[in-house]
Amino acid sequence: MIEKSDFYINGKWVAPSATNDFEVIDPSTEEPCAVISLGSEADTNAAVAAAKSALPGWMATPVEERIGLVEKLVDIYATRSEDLAQAMSMEMGAPIDMARTQQSGAGIYHLKNFIRAAKAFQFERPLGDHAPNDRIIYEAVGVAALITPWNWPMNQVTLKVGAAAIAGCTMVLKPSEQSPLNAMVFAEMMDEAGFPAGVFNLVNGDGVGVGSQLSAHPDVDMVSFTGSTRAGTAISKNAADTLKKVHLELGGKGANVVFADADEKAVKRGVLHMMNNTGQSCNAPSRMLVQRPIYDQAVETAAEVANKVSVGPASEEGRHIGPVVNELQWSKIQDLIQKGIDEGARLVAGGTGRPESLNKGYYVRPTVFADANNQMTVAREEIFGPVLTMIPFDTEEEAIEIANDTPYGLTNYVQTQDGDRANRMARALRSGMVEMNGQSRSAGSPFGGMKQSGNGREGGVWGLEDFLDVKAVGGWAAE
């Protein structure tokens, strides 16, 4: 068992102010794999004070030097990627090969994209030719609280820390208590890179404790949170009294609209995308809308693909999905699968209970519901497990209506060979992102949603801008 009780505050590892142990559970075995300490209000205050003290110097540091430290971080990241992968695989259940490629790989990918975006970004620029003595200055928002989830840990840590550091913000990171070990490795990397004391601080804790303390803290200027819509609502309310900037990346219930002219791999691609990371992705294509002429075949294909998805321990190499993160999530998913059955959706793959031969661990059977309608619980709630809901439609207009009939608006997907239709769908779908025919968004493309999927954008130029305030200056003196 790993014991990681220290916090990283003001450039050094410090013991927590009080003993408040928390067991991190390996979801593959249901056994404790680590013990950490949850921070107290004194720990939160110490981290915020360190960040506040470091802010003037870090803001005044030339952006080229800030970028240089992130470049050094990238080099160190490459040497620690296996440590990160092992940590994430053990603590949140990502299969080790997937943890090495997607989970760990996401972090270095985002850091490199921020470096490229920052080198082309004008942090000071003229207002325009019409106003030669006016300047626009982009400067750091200030002290940023970064609250990250357990499902894509390094993806979210780097999307926040990389942007905040380059922007000139100082920060306090609170990773999920369900998957804290990778963040502690990351803190070691930040220390090795040589970021000045107080620029980056880490305090472990839960949402009710450290999370609430950070979001209400008068010396925190911004909260960047990724997690559930319920928690995002609570953070927004908690932050309101101090009018701090709140950036939210929340849940989703993405529609994957498969038209009759979709390519032959579209359905299989959609099922496998849904099952990736054991369905624990806010941008998962969890509602597959299929045009009626190909619907019956699509259901048959989806069931066949889901039944071939293997499930196994995260420590085993190979292409399979692992467990969901904890017992609470497992029980919630089981209840929602049963709800789908009870409400009349047709179960064509999977179902309740663990897969055969796995009697311990938080494993979920890859599940597909057919013949659902958009008012069923499985079509409306974010299940956050390997559960796909299929809904038939007739016309393009009906598909748009169903896709948009959700409180969420993160990512939608379109499968069609008709370019004009694809473009119409992209404009009509109410989501922060739309992906076509299996084509992922390119490097530097912003990640974020509309409606109850949150606000703000992460990644590239937009990710930098979220950590920057705009200052307008009139009467700029010639230099």
Side-chain angles (χ1 to χ4, degrees):
M1 179 153 340
I2 299 169
E3 293 193 17
K4 288 276 194 178
S5 59
D6 289 353
F7 304 146
Y8 186 75
I9 299 175
N10 205 27
K12 55 183 180 291
W13 291 95
V14 299
S17 62
T19 301
N20 187 10
D21 289 345
F22 178 86
E23 285 188 337
V24 180
I25 304 299
D26 179 343
S28 293
T29 65
E30 301 185 35
E31 299 295 332
C33 63
V35 176
I36 63 166
S37 290
L38 302 181
S40 67
E41 189 165 8
D43 300 312
T44 302
N45 289 341
V48 173
K52 183 179 179 181
S53 178
L55 180 63
W58 186 238
M59 286 181 66
T61 300
V63 67
E64 293 79 13
E65 292 183 26
R66 300 198 299 258
I67 293 171
L69 281 171
V70 176
E71 288 177 321
K72 190 173 181 181
L73 176 64
V74 167
D75 293 337
I76 295 166
Y77 193 113
T79 70
R80 301 295 304 272
S81 60
E82 180 65 15
D83 295 335
L84 292 167
Q86 292 288 345
M88 289 184 282
S89 181
M90 178 173 64
E91 63 194 341
M92 55 76 58
I96 185 60
D97 285 350
M98 184 261 190
R100 287 170 176 148
T101 53
Q102 296 181 49
Q103 291 279 6
S104 181
I108 202 165
Y109 173 82
H110 292 311
L111 292 174
K112 287 180 177 179
N113 286 334
F114 280 132
I115 290 166
R116 181 172 62 248
K119 287 182 176 180
F121 191 86
Q122 286 183 282
F123 287 83
E124 294 187 9
R125 61 186 73 171
L127 175 62
D129 292 340
H130 70 290
N133 296 324
D134 280 44
R135 289 290 184 276
I136 300 297
I137 298 175
Y138 288 83
E139 70 178 32
V141 170
V143 175
L146 314 178
I147 304 175
T148 55
W150 48 261
N151 61 321
W152 286 94
M154 242 337 91
N155 183 78
Q156 294 306 131
V157 168
T158 53
L159 277 171
K160 298 181 191 304
V161 172
I166 289 174
C169 293
T170 55
M171 64 207 90
V172 179
L173 171 65
K174 189 209 83 65
S176 169
E177 70 276 19
Q178 305 292 333
S179 60
L181 303 180
N182 67 92
M184 299 181 85
V185 173
F186 185 83
E188 294 173 357
M189 293 157 48
M190 292 290 287
D191 184 72
E192 184 179 347
F195 283 85
V199 169
F200 172 86
N201 307 274
L202 179 145
V203 178
N204 282 315
D206 57 19
V208 174
V210 175
S212 294
Q213 293 156 16
L214 286 170
S215 57
H217 203 292
D219 291 333
V220 169
D221 301 295
M222 173 181 177
V223 178
S224 179
F225 170 77
T226 300
S228 70
T229 297
R230 176 195 53 78
T233 300
I235 284 172
S236 297
K237 292 177 179 177
N238 207 28
D241 287 344
T242 50
L243 293 176
K244 55 175 56 69
K245 186 175 185 179
V246 178
H247 167 121
L248 302 172
E249 198 279 282
L250 307 175
K253 193 67 180 176
N256 184 9
V257 184
V258 183
F259 285 95
D261 67 342
D263 67 271
E264 61 181 12
K265 295 181 180 179
V267 173
K268 178 180 180 180
R269 185 169 62 238
V271 175
L272 294 178
H273 189 172
M274 179 63 238
M275 303 299 166
N276 188 48
N277 204 38
T278 320
Q280 300 171 120
S281 301
C282 50
N283 63 340
S286 53
R287 292 181 296 154
M288 184 179 285
L289 281 50
V290 184
Q291 200 162 25
R292 210 171 293 273
I294 63 167
Y295 177 75
D296 289 343
Q297 180 58 56
V299 170
E300 186 178 321
T301 299
E304 181 181 332
V305 172
N307 284 326
K308 289 180 180 177
V309 173
S310 60
V311 184
S315 58
E316 292 184 1
E317 297 188 350
R319 296 185 64 181
H320 61 279
I321 65 173
V324 296
V325 71
N326 58 29
E327 184 178 11
L328 182 66
Q329 288 294 121
W330 188 87
S331 297
K332 174 192 170 187
I333 294 164
Q334 299 304 310
D335 289 346
L336 285 166
I337 293 173
Q338 186 60 51
K339 190 85 166 177
I341 295 169
D342 294 344
E343 291 184 356
R346 178 162 61 101
L347 185 69
V348 297
T352 57
R354 291 176 175 85
E356 292 181 17
S357 79
L358 292 170
N359 57 12
K360 192 172 186 181
Y362 304 122
Y363 300 100
V364 176
R365 299 170 68 190
T367 297
V368 178
F369 283 108
D371 304 348
N373 64 63
N374 207 47
Q375 303 313 309
M376 290 181 177
T377 304
V378 290
R380 301 207 69 79
E381 291 194 19
E382 186 180 36
I383 298 173
F384 231 59
V387 181
L388 175 68
T389 301
M390 301 183 72
I391 302 172
F393 72 90
D394 290 301
T395 65
E396 181 179 322
E397 292 73 22
E398 184 186 5
I400 293 168
E401 182 180 355
I402 295 171
N404 287 342
D405 180 20
T406 172
Y408 298 107
L410 190 57
T411 313
N412 284 307
Y413 303 82
V414 178
Q415 319 298 327
T416 180
Q417 299 304 298
D418 184 330
D420 290 339
R421 175 194 284 147
N423 290 342
R424 288 194 303 271
M425 292 292 293
R427 292 186 177 95
L429 292 171
R430 291 283 297 156
S431 56
M433 298 168 285
V434 180
E435 296 186 5
M436 305 284 187
N437 299 317
Q439 181 68 46
S440 298
R441 296 167 302 106
S442 299
S445 177
F447 188 102
M450 300 176 180
K451 301 189 284 185
Q452 291 185 26
S453 289
N455 52 49
R457 294 295 181 267
E458 293 186 314
V461 171
W462 293 269
L464 290 175
E465 288 181 343
D466 260 16
F467 286 90
L468 293 166
D469 273 332
V470 177
K471 178 185 289 182
V473 180
W476 187 266
E479 292 180 320

